[in-house]
Amino acid sequence: MSRTPLRRRSTALALALVAGSAGLTVAAAPSASAAACSDVDVVFARGTGETAGLGIVGTPLVSNIKSDLPGRSVSSYAVNYAANAAQTSAGPGATDMTNHVTSTAASCPNTSFVLGGYSQGASVTDISIGIPTLLGSGSTIPTALAPRVKAVVAFGNPLRLYGQTITSASALYGPKAKEFCNLGDPVCANGTNIAAHLTYQLNGSVESGAQFAAGKINAG
C-alpha cells in the first residue's frame, strides 16, 4: 500500500489538532491496578493530549467491563507513555503495554487480558499486537500469549486512514477485535468533525465495546 509523505503529515496534523481540543477538557484519570492476580486485566492506552491514566474512554470502559463481568475480579493498567502531540510516543507506549502483559502473564498464569486504546492509544495497541503503523515501532506481545488476550477494543484508530482495520491486518487478533470510528472523525474517518473524535464515551461506543469484551471473556 502506498503511504505518501503528504498522507503521513495529514494524519499527524489531524491527531495533533484533536489533541489540542482534547487537552482543554480532559481531566486526570488515575489508573487502577490490583495487587493480587485478577481474573481479567484491562490494559488501555489513552489518547493524544490526555493526562496520565486511563483517559476519557478507558475509564468508563473499565467500569463497564467490571459491571458486565459480575463474579469476576477485574484489574486495569493505564499504559505509561507520553501520548504527545508530536505523535512520536506510540512505539514506546506499545513497548510498555507489551512489557506489562508479559510480566503480568508470567506472575498470574490464570489472568486473561483485554487490550484497548483510543486515538494514538489505538496505535499503541496496533503496534503491541504486531501491526505496523506510521507512528513508530515497539515491542510486540509474544505469539504464545495471544490466546490469553481475549479481546481488543479500539476507538478512533488512525490505522483506518490507510484502509486497514485490526480485523483485516491481523489474522491472530482480528477475530477478537472490535473497533469504533465515528462518522466525520478526522483521526480514523478522514473527516473534519473534531467533536466526533471526542464523543466515544457519550454515544454508546464504550458500552458496546465493554459488552463485546465481556462476551469474549465469558466465551473462554
Side-chain angles (χ1 to χ4, degrees):
M1 180 180 298
S2 174
R3 295 174 177 174
T4 66
L6 178 60
R7 192 61 178 272
R8 189 178 300 115
R9 289 195 298 271
S10 297
T11 303
L13 179 61
L15 288 165
L17 181 62
V18 172
S21 298
L24 295 175
T25 58
V26 175
S31 64
S33 181
C37 293
S38 59
D39 295 323
V40 181
D41 190 34
V42 184
V43 186
F44 195 88
R46 71 192 188 280
T48 300
E50 294 193 82
T51 51
L54 293 168
I56 60 172
V57 174
T59 298
L61 179 70
V62 170
S63 178
N64 277 275
I65 289 175
K66 289 180 178 180
S67 296
D68 291 338
L69 291 174
R72 295 179 187 261
S73 57
V74 178
S75 59
S76 63
Y77 176 76
V79 173
N80 182 15
Y81 85 119
N84 60 23
Q87 306 302 307
T88 58
S89 56
T95 296
D96 185 72
M97 176 179 277
T98 294
N99 288 344
H100 173 78
V101 171
T102 302
S103 62
T104 302
S107 300
C108 303
N110 296 318
T111 296
S112 297
F113 298 92
V114 173
L115 308 182
Y118 164 52
S119 193
Q120 188 179 174
S123 292
V124 168
T125 308
D126 295 336
I127 297 168
S128 185
I129 61 177
I131 300 174
T133 78
L134 295 183
L135 295 184
S137 59
S139 300
T140 60
I141 296 170
T143 302
L145 293 180
R148 293 179 60 180
V149 177
K150 302 300 183 182
V152 180
V153 186
F155 304 84
N157 193 345
L159 189 67
R160 284 178 173 259
L161 292 182
Y162 306 101
Q164 292 183 297
T165 63
I166 295 174
T167 299
S168 68
S170 175
L172 191 59
Y173 291 95
K176 43 191 168 185
K178 181 78 170 179
E179 295 181 78
F180 298 89
C181 178
N182 288 337
L183 181 67
D185 186 334
V187 175
C188 62
N190 204 26
T192 59
N193 183 4
I194 293 174
H197 189 65
L198 301 174
T199 53
Y200 290 99
Q201 76 281 13
L202 302 175
N203 65 4
S205 296
V206 165
E207 290 82 357
S208 180
Q211 290 170 5
F212 172 82
K216 289 294 186 182
I217 293 290
N218 286 329

